[in-house]
Amino acid sequence: MLLTDKRRFAMLYRIFTYVMVFTIAIVSTACAEIVPDFLMESDPDCRPLPPAPVQPMPKHLQLWFEVLKRPETDYQRMAAESISLAHKKGVPDLLQAIPTLETILTTESTHPAARYAAARALITLDSRDSASKLLEWSQKGGSDLRQLVEPALADWDFEPIRTVWKERLDASNKQHRRELLLAVRGLARVQEVSALPTLRNIALDVARSPDIRLAAAAAAGALAETGLESDAQLLQAEKRKSPIINRRCAIHLLQRHTSEAAIKSLLELATEQEPTLAAAALERLNQIDSHLVLPLAEGAMKNLDANVRMQGAIAYIKLPTTDRIPALAELLNDLHPGIRQHVSTELLRLAQDPALDETIRSTSMAIAQRDQWQGQEQSALLLGSLEHQPASTRFVELLESERREVMVSSAWALRKIADPATASAIVDKIRRQTIARKNVYPAGLDQQVAHLLEACGKMQVKQAERDMIGYIPKVGAMGERSRGAAIWALGKLHTGTPDPTVAELLIDRVNDEGTMPPEFILIKQLSIVSLGRMKAQEYAPEFRNLLEKGNSNDAISLARRWALKELTGEEYPLPEADPIGPGTWFLNPLVRAQTNSP
């Protein structure tokens, strides 16, 4: 009895694991969230230029080709790996390595590591003429080599591999699961319809391992657009053994079916209590036609499972109306970050439709008035992005939130909206946080104050100047982001109008070298930017001299370049981009140093 219980537990655990693997990706499909940005990072843009790849020289290639012919395993492996990497980076003239790579692949004495690297290089080089050799030696080699080669042969649609896979499938009871899964997936990839009956039988066999059944059902579903409805219904009805796996297989079988019978089965599965099944069925119905999901969508959006809620939301997002927006906006409060971020982003997109805009704004305002921090955060991000001025009073209130997410997003929203009526409240919050940060330093305080200081710079709030100046000195408690935003905002306040006192404080930050702790790069960069913005002409010679000594691809040099153009109109050329890896390649050729000696 105890053994039976252990086996039952093991089977249930395996079922749970397999089902979770197939469903966990559903919520992760959420699109990119709205992320609070900083104006000081883009106005002006002084980010270093993207790195430029280091390309190997012709001498590199000749060395690699020579080393490939060496008998040492590591030389063969590393040269083959370098060729693969170089090809991916667009280096030409590598196809001449193919004969040597084939020799490494097919030599009996080759070490498995070198054979694997040679096979990968041949695949990377798209050497389809090597397909027969790759097939032969993948079957002689180990499982890892087959895992590498067989998917490539499927991509190339190499006909002989089909026979191997079909034979493997016919003897599936005697096959190792990794090889069997390769065959199942490969046959689906090459659309080998003759394998459909065998795949169906495996999917229907409740005695089989769940992962093999699920893969076979997925492959069968990929091969057929009709004809599997009865099999799906049979699996739905089979509840004596592995009922969850049975119904998950049914959904896989119907992945391309659109018949009335298929839709009927999917609608039944969409109402299952088991959320992994309901989510998968709703996902398929959304793919066919989201109108099919509409009767279930509102209930789905209240389900305890995040994947089910997401599919309900997707139906309303695909088919939005003013009546559906309120239910959708409720998900701004969702406990799952992926869902609320997805809905927020989609509502922002939908607000571009004049017919939906007002409803989205009003429902988001209602969410902002509630007590749930999730909805407060997302409504701030959404309404801030829409620059919805009526929300500014509420966001001033939310500055007092104890949740980092809310205090930061509401400050960002106030900067985006830039309502002059909020200026006094913003300055008051900056002053209170400036005092508080010297004693306690809660998470989010630096970012919140930085957004508020940027808001003051954007709105030209002169009453905040004294506070901004207090953030210039190198005091750790004042925070890098807050100090940077204050310096950036001072430049905005004094655009075109130099202030000697402020300029002197800023140049001290620029020239702060060798002290401990060192000054932040961001502070130096923004100090240079503000000096240029306020037309502090006396610093132009210093910036010019430093650029002449080294026009580097770093934030400080790029800031000097921008500032010099603001001060004098001079436009220095852009620096060269920094190289990126590998930086050094396997066996770099020796370059002799030049000397003046004869």
Side-chain angles (χ1 to χ4, degrees):
M1 181 66 180
L2 181 59
L3 182 60
T4 302
D5 289 343
K6 286 184 176 179
R7 286 175 176 170
R8 184 180 296 113
F9 175 80
M11 177 58 73
L12 288 173
Y13 180 79
R14 289 179 70 190
I15 291 172
F16 173 79
T17 302
Y18 294 132
V19 171
M20 287 304 296
V21 166
F22 278 90
T23 59
I24 195 168
I26 297 176
V27 164
S28 66
T29 59
C31 58
E33 62 182 297
I34 304 169
V35 178
D37 61 343
F38 289 98
L39 287 173
M40 58 183 160
E41 294 177 347
S42 59
D43 180 18
D45 187 353
C46 293
R47 292 172 296 178
L49 301 175
V54 174
Q55 299 290 15
M57 300 179 291
K59 289 184 178 180
H60 281 92
L61 307 191
Q62 293 306 315
L63 276 173
W64 299 344
F65 299 155
E66 291 174 19
V67 168
L68 272 177
K69 299 174 183 178
R70 298 280 304 176
E72 292 88 352
T73 294
D74 282 343
Y75 279 165
Q76 293 176 340
R77 175 183 60 79
M78 294 172 72
E81 289 173 351
S82 295
I83 289 169
S84 295
L85 178 59
H87 182 76
K88 291 177 182 178
K89 292 180 175 294
V91 176
D93 303 325
L94 293 168
L95 297 184
Q96 56 187 298
I98 288 175
T100 309
L101 290 167
E102 287 184 340
T103 300
I104 295 171
L105 174 71
T106 59
T107 299
E108 290 283 355
S109 60
T110 296
H111 190 279
R115 180 174 285 114
Y116 186 95
R120 184 167 62 179
L122 289 167
I123 292 167
T124 303
L125 293 171
D126 199 33
S127 179
R128 301 190 180 211
D129 291 340
S130 306
S132 58
K133 293 183 177 69
L134 286 165
L135 173 58
E136 177 187 355
W137 285 90
S138 68
Q139 303 313 300
K140 291 180 180 179
S143 179
D144 287 344
L145 190 58
R146 288 189 285 276
Q147 295 293 323
L148 169 71
V149 169
E150 292 189 17
L153 296 179
D155 290 338
W156 294 346
D157 198 8
F158 184 59
E159 188 72 27
I161 190 63
R162 298 185 184 215
T163 302
V164 174
W165 287 334
K166 286 190 284 186
E167 290 175 355
R168 201 179 291 169
L169 204 63
D170 291 337
S172 59
N173 284 317
K174 301 176 183 178
Q175 295 293 322
H176 189 279
R177 58 176 295 277
R178 291 184 75 196
E179 272 64 30
L180 183 56
L181 286 171
L182 272 177
V184 168
R185 292 164 183 161
L187 290 165
R189 178 72 180 86
V190 300
Q191 290 289 289
E192 181 58 54
V193 178
S194 65
L196 183 58
T198 308
L199 291 168
R200 288 175 57 246
N201 290 337
I202 294 174
L204 292 169
D205 187 354
V206 295
R208 290 273 191 169
S209 174
D211 60 336
I212 300 297
R213 290 185 63 204
L214 288 165
L223 293 174
E225 295 183 3
T226 60
L228 299 181
E229 293 90 346
S230 59
D231 291 331
Q233 291 167 1
L234 184 64
L235 287 167
Q236 282 180 259
E238 177 54 70
K239 299 181 180 179
R240 293 169 298 174
K241 188 174 183 180
S242 304
I244 294 176
I245 296 298
N246 293 337
R247 285 172 281 178
R248 193 69 179 89
C249 286
I251 295 170
H252 279 319
L253 291 175
L254 300 176
Q255 66 184 277
R256 297 177 62 200
H257 287 49
T258 57
S259 65
E260 289 186 11
I263 290 172
K264 180 181 177 183
S265 291
L266 289 167
L267 287 170
E268 292 174 1
L269 290 163
T271 60
E272 287 277 358
Q273 292 298 310
E274 171 54 49
T276 56
L277 297 172
L282 287 168
E283 181 182 25
R284 176 61 191 137
L285 289 168
N286 265 322
Q287 292 168 354
I288 297 170
D289 183 354
S290 288
H291 285 93
L292 298 169
V293 180
L294 288 181
L296 307 172
E298 194 155 356
M301 287 188 284
K302 298 176 182 177
N303 195 281
L304 293 177
D305 185 79
N307 295 285
V308 177
R309 297 199 301 277
M310 178 64 87
Q311 293 304 319
I314 287 172
Y316 270 20
I317 289 167
K318 285 186 175 181
L319 302 169
T321 65
T322 53
D323 292 337
R324 293 171 189 151
I325 293 299
L328 191 58
E330 287 294 326
L331 293 179
L332 295 173
N333 277 317
D334 200 273
L335 295 179
H336 194 288
I339 293 177
R340 60 179 183 264
Q341 291 160 6
H342 181 75
V343 170
S344 179
T345 305
E346 289 297 330
L347 286 175
L348 176 60
R349 180 182 63 82
L350 293 174
Q352 307 310 306
D353 183 349
L356 302 174
D357 180 50
E358 180 55 39
T359 303
I360 290 172
R361 291 172 186 260
S362 61
T363 53
S364 300
M365 281 285 291
I367 297 293
Q369 295 294 337
R370 298 189 194 172
D371 294 332
Q372 295 99 316
W373 71 264
Q374 295 91 343
Q376 292 172 349
E377 177 199 22
Q378 293 303 318
S379 60
L381 295 174
L382 173 55
L383 293 170
S385 297
L386 292 171
E387 298 181 8
H388 187 62
Q389 189 166 319
S392 58
T393 301
R394 176 55 176 162
F395 295 147
V396 167
E397 296 172 353
L398 292 179
L399 291 175
E400 308 304 322
S401 173
E402 295 182 357
R403 289 290 310 198
R404 174 192 179 279
E405 299 87 344
V406 179
M407 59 188 286
V408 172
S409 61
S410 58
W412 176 81
L414 287 169
R415 190 264 286 171
K416 290 285 289 183
I417 295 168
D419 180 0
T422 63
S424 296
I426 288 174
V427 173
D428 176 65
K429 184 62 176 178
I430 291 171
R431 289 174 179 170
R432 287 187 287 121
Q433 291 290 61
T434 301
I435 295 170
R437 73 193 306 159
K438 296 176 182 178
N439 300 310
V440 294
Y441 209 95
L445 185 149
D446 192 35
Q447 292 91 334
Q448 184 195 54
V449 173
H451 289 309
L452 295 178
L453 285 165
E454 285 191 341
C456 291
K458 181 179 179 180
M459 293 189 291
Q460 295 287 298
V461 181
K462 298 290 185 180
Q463 68 189 97
E465 182 173 5
R466 176 172 56 86
D467 304 279
M468 295 173 187
I469 291 173
Y471 275 85
I472 297 177
K474 186 168 60 178
V475 178
M478 305 307 271
E480 180 185 8
R481 288 289 183 183
S482 298
R483 292 180 63 211
I487 291 168
W488 177 89
L490 281 166
K492 284 291 186 178
L493 288 184
H494 293 282
T495 298
T497 308
D499 184 305
T501 302
V502 173
E504 187 173 345
L505 290 170
L506 294 180
I507 200 65
D508 284 345
R509 296 299 90 227
V510 176
N511 295 328
D512 185 346
E513 301 287 349
T515 60
M516 292 300 292
E519 185 57 276
F520 292 112
I521 297 297
L522 179 67
I523 302 304
K524 290 174 173 283
Q525 170 202 330
L526 292 170
S527 295
I528 293 168
V529 165
S530 288
L531 287 168
R533 190 165 269 152
M534 68 172 59
K535 304 296 184 185
Q537 299 287 349
E538 63 270 31
Y539 301 109
E542 178 180 334
F543 295 161
R544 185 185 301 108
N545 291 337
L546 289 167
L547 282 172
E548 289 174 352
K549 290 179 181 178
N551 186 17
S552 305
N553 182 33
D554 60 71
I556 294 178
S557 291
L558 289 166
R560 287 194 190 107
R561 178 180 176 274
W562 181 89
L564 191 62
K565 183 180 179 182
E566 291 292 305
L567 293 171
T568 68
E570 299 173 62
E571 186 161 2
Y572 268 69
L574 284 171
E576 292 185 3
D578 298 323
I580 59 171
T584 57
W585 291 81
F586 170 57
L587 287 182
N588 288 292
L590 180 65
V591 179
R592 292 185 181 276
Q594 292 184 352
T595 64
N596 295 324
S597 58

